[in-house]
Amino acid sequence: EELVGTTSDEKDDESKKSKESNSEEAAAADNDEVAATVATTDLPTDEYFHLKVRVCLKCKSCGYSRSKEELYRHLSIDVGENDEGESWGVERSLEHFFQAEDRELNCEKCEEGTSATQTMEIISRPKAILLHFKRFIVTQRENGEMVLRKNKAKIPLKDSLSISSFFSSEEEKPNGLYHLCGVVHHVGNTAFSGHYTTCAKRKLEEESVEEQWVFFDDTVGQRRTINYVTGNETNQKNCYMALYELK
């Protein structure tokens, strides 16, 4: 009887452990399913800010290449000047962003390869492009303190923008232009101080079809022209972000 009782107790314990294990596995499976659902759920910003780029690395020694796709929700582009001291436009900054460049790294296929050429090309077109201009430069003062100095080079914005020249040769060249619909300005000398203003297109009347430019400064809103948005010298020196929408 003791043996039967002991065996029965052991079976009950094993049954409990089995049920607990199954419950834990089921809970883990549910958690994995939820995590997978979350991971594959599109963000609200994906509808507009979803720029896919193919990045390719090609060994300069044996020619072996490998590529991967990267997702950009905005592009951080350099602010520069040409040899004549003229400021880059948005197109030139984008050309600099997408231009080929050499990188030091060891090849996966050959022993001689220690550098590769990196190329980038767009493979999907977003509904909107958010550009961030890299105005702040890290500099060192005489006392050794590191500060972010603001580059106040003028950025001559245009009302429209094309990105077709940056598309992959394997993809069909897209039609249509991106049109400027918003600009953020940083007024100040450092990254840790200053004031932000913006110009944005708005429909000021419900029945109006056309949008108008409005300048926003805290609680103040004033109508402006496209020439003020793109041609004003102060705005060109303080332009920090620009939003283009495909139309």
Side-chain angles (χ1 to χ4, degrees), residues 5-242:
T6 302
T7 304
S8 177
D9 291 340
E10 289 177 351
K11 287 183 178 180
D12 288 341
D13 290 340
E14 290 177 359
S15 177
K16 289 180 181 179
K17 290 179 180 179
S18 177
K19 289 180 180 179
E20 290 175 357
S21 177
N22 291 337
S23 298
E24 291 175 356
E25 290 177 0
D30 290 341
N31 289 336
D32 290 341
E33 185 176 349
V34 171
T37 302
V38 172
T40 57
T41 301
D42 290 337
L43 298 173
T45 52
D46 284 344
E47 182 180 355
Y48 283 86
F49 306 101
H50 198 95
L51 177 67
K52 277 189 178 181
V53 174
R54 182 184 295 119
V55 181
C56 180
L57 289 170
K58 185 175 182 179
C59 176
K60 299 185 69 175
S61 179
C62 69
Y64 170 73
S65 65
R66 55 203 181 280
S67 62
K68 65 176 181 177
E69 293 182 6
E70 293 185 350
L71 173 63
Y72 287 83
R73 302 196 186 279
H74 74 277
L75 298 179
S76 291
I77 57 180
D78 289 320
V79 178
E81 296 179 343
N82 59 23
D83 295 336
E84 287 74 32
E86 298 175 345
S87 299
W88 289 356
V90 174
E91 295 85 353
R92 179 65 187 89
S93 293
L94 286 173
E95 288 175 2
H96 183 73
F97 181 87
F98 283 101
Q99 72 180 7
E101 59 179 320
D102 291 338
R103 292 190 173 275
E104 294 185 1
L105 50 84
N106 295 326
C107 180
E108 301 173 7
K109 295 295 182 181
C110 71
E111 296 181 357
E112 296 80 10
T114 57
S115 63
T117 300
Q118 175 182 287
T119 56
M120 300 173 64
E121 52 189 12
I122 299 174
I123 57 177
S124 72
R125 181 175 61 170
K127 290 184 178 180
I129 297 177
L130 179 61
L131 300 178
H132 161 244
F133 300 102
K134 297 193 287 186
R135 284 201 175 275
F136 296 102
I137 305 168
V138 179
T139 58
Q140 186 174 11
R141 293 177 176 173
E142 294 181 358
N143 61 0
E145 181 184 3
M146 305 300 291
V147 296
L148 290 172
R149 179 179 61 83
K150 184 177 179 180
N151 180 352
K152 292 187 177 182
K154 294 187 294 184
I155 300 176
L157 295 176
K158 292 184 178 179
D159 183 43
S160 60
L161 175 69
S162 173
I163 62 171
S164 60
S165 60
F166 309 115
F167 260 75
S168 167
S169 58
E170 301 175 1
E171 306 291 333
E172 182 180 352
K173 297 293 183 182
N175 296 320
L177 295 173
Y178 288 85
H179 291 271
L180 187 66
C181 61
V183 183
V184 175
H185 306 109
H186 174 269
V187 184
N189 296 319
T190 71
F192 308 106
S193 63
H195 180 64
Y196 288 95
T197 64
T198 186
C199 289
K201 273 189 172 181
R202 291 289 185 270
K203 286 185 178 180
L204 301 182
E205 299 176 5
E206 292 184 2
E207 298 180 358
S208 176
V209 178
E210 295 185 0
E211 296 178 321
Q212 297 184 19
W213 281 101
V214 181
F215 170 73
F216 295 96
D217 184 354
D218 291 338
T219 60
V220 177
Q222 299 174 330
R223 294 189 184 188
R224 288 290 187 264
T225 63
I226 182 63
N227 184 58
Y228 172 84
V229 178
T230 61
N232 181 278
E233 184 174 346
T234 301
N235 287 340
Q236 289 181 346
K237 290 182 177 181
N238 291 324
C239 176
Y240 189 54
M241 302 179 76

